[in-house]
Amino acid sequence: MLLELDGVPQQRTGEAHGFASSKLSVLRKHPIFADLEPEAFEQLCRYAKHATLKRGATLFSKGDPGVSLYAVISGTVKMSISSSEGRNAILNIIGPGEIFGEMALLDGGSRSADAIANSNCELFVIDRREFIPFVKSQPALAMKFIELLCERLRRTSDQVEQIILLNLPGRLASALLRLTEKNKLEPQGRTIAITQQEISEMVGMTRESINKQLRAWAARDWVRLEHGAIVVLKAEPLQTLVEAGASDDGD
Ligand code: CMP
């Protein structure tokens, strides 16, 4: 249960506290909910509870029962898996306007990954007991979930393909482009708030290789390295590396 977890100090219903429509618009803008009729959307908002999560807090762990769907209002949440030796792999970093936790929610199975707050976060939480009957009453919504799952499966297939077929620079370039794409509408443009350690856990390369490659690209003015962030200055040469699967080792 969310309230039993450390780092989730508040939870309250959106309706009772009259959340600013700017927060609820996070749900409205999501492709899954965008086409709901106004009454159905209002019903959804009544189910949405507000929660805050402190940076570094674990929201749930792989294997936990899946009792809620989450939508990020602000901040970012990392979906990751870890080995018994302490190695981590980051599957995705979920930012404002995105949802997560849909897999266990929909199939009633356990969580497929850990969810850890990458920064202080504000979330909407929707309980499975309310959400499943709601989805059943909205066939178009079920279809939208299928589309979301297909998109995630496609992305996972791309990642598997890249790990097997792309060289290290191609994988790193692809990850940077994917992350900047997500941030396209952010005011800070192409700045990715991510550490080199996190990038290494996303693409399956050592932090040292990541650092060497990024410094080589920084020398060419393709990227700029900032504390805890990477700014993509030129996307085209990175795209070329991805398409060619080129053997640019950064020297
Ligand atoms: P769930 O299994 O409920 O909890 C973990 C969540 O991580 C999962 O739902 C998805 O929302 C997300 N997730 C799991 N695997 C992936 C993946 N391969 N790519 C993107 N997101 C994922």
Side-chain angles (χ1 to χ4, degrees):
M1 277 295 291
L2 188 66
L3 277 174
E4 290 167 15
L5 292 174
D6 287 343
V8 188
Q10 304 160 28
Q11 186 172 354
R12 55 199 179 186
T13 67
E15 194 186 44
H17 291 261
F19 280 132
S21 57
S22 63
K23 286 187 183 173
L24 288 169
S25 74
V26 162
L27 290 179
R28 194 39 144 176
K29 281 188 196 149
H30 195 284
I32 285 213
F33 305 122
D35 296 333
L36 282 178
E37 294 296 331
E39 311 79 63
F41 183 68
E42 273 171 31
Q43 193 179 353
L44 178 75
C45 291
R46 282 197 290 276
Y47 298 149
K49 297 183 176 70
H50 182 259
T52 56
L53 197 60
K54 287 260 183 274
R55 180 171 191 265
T58 297
L59 182 59
F60 57 72
S61 301
K62 183 176 175 180
D64 285 353
V67 290
S68 309
L69 176 75
Y70 299 91
V72 178
I73 303 167
S74 65
T76 52
V77 183
K78 180 166 75 178
M79 303 295 125
S80 63
I81 42 182
S82 54
S83 70
S84 49
E85 302 89 50
R87 290 177 58 211
N88 291 318
I90 298 179
L91 300 176
N92 203 0
I93 295 181
I94 310 272
E98 296 184 284
I99 64 173
F100 65 95
E102 75 292 339
M103 288 168 58
L105 178 99
L106 291 171
D107 73 3
S110 57
R111 296 295 187 192
S112 60
D114 303 334
I116 299 166
N118 237 15
S119 62
N120 289 343
C121 295
E122 266 188 292
L123 305 171
F124 278 129
V125 188
I126 305 179
D127 195 285
R128 183 170 203 269
R129 282 167 306 187
E130 290 169 322
F131 196 66
I132 294 294
F134 181 69
V135 175
K136 285 186 178 162
S137 73
Q138 302 283 332
L141 189 60
M143 200 60 215
K144 296 270 185 189
F145 267 106
I146 293 172
E147 287 169 17
L148 175 83
L149 293 170
C150 288
E151 187 201 311
R152 291 225 157 122
L153 185 55
R154 258 177 222 285
R155 208 175 65 80
T156 303
S157 302
D158 283 349
Q159 283 172 314
V160 172
E161 184 183 329
Q162 289 182 5
I163 286 170
I164 295 171
L165 301 178
L166 260 192
N167 58 16
L168 297 188
R171 268 153 60 189
L172 177 56
S174 172
L176 292 182
L177 292 173
R178 196 172 59 242
L179 289 164
T180 54
E181 232 167 64
K182 276 175 107 175
N183 294 351
K184 218 180 263 171
L185 300 176
E186 298 288 312
Q188 63 269 41
R190 301 192 151 198
T191 300
I192 310 162
I194 195 165
T195 65
Q196 294 187 19
Q197 179 62 33
E198 285 168 339
I199 283 266
S200 84
E201 292 174 5
M202 282 188 102
V203 298
M205 297 162 61
T206 63
R207 208 193 61 76
E208 291 70 25
S209 319
I210 296 280
N211 183 260
K212 180 179 174 224
Q213 186 63 76
L214 286 175
R215 280 193 289 112
W217 290 347
R220 295 174 191 180
D221 287 332
W222 294 2
V223 299
R224 189 173 65 242
L225 305 182
E226 295 181 352
H227 184 67
I230 300 164
V231 186
V232 173
L233 303 171
K234 289 187 188 145
E236 296 76 17
L238 296 178
Q239 186 59 43
T240 305
L241 281 184
V242 178
E243 283 160 15
S247 57
D248 183 340
D249 63 4
D251 293 332

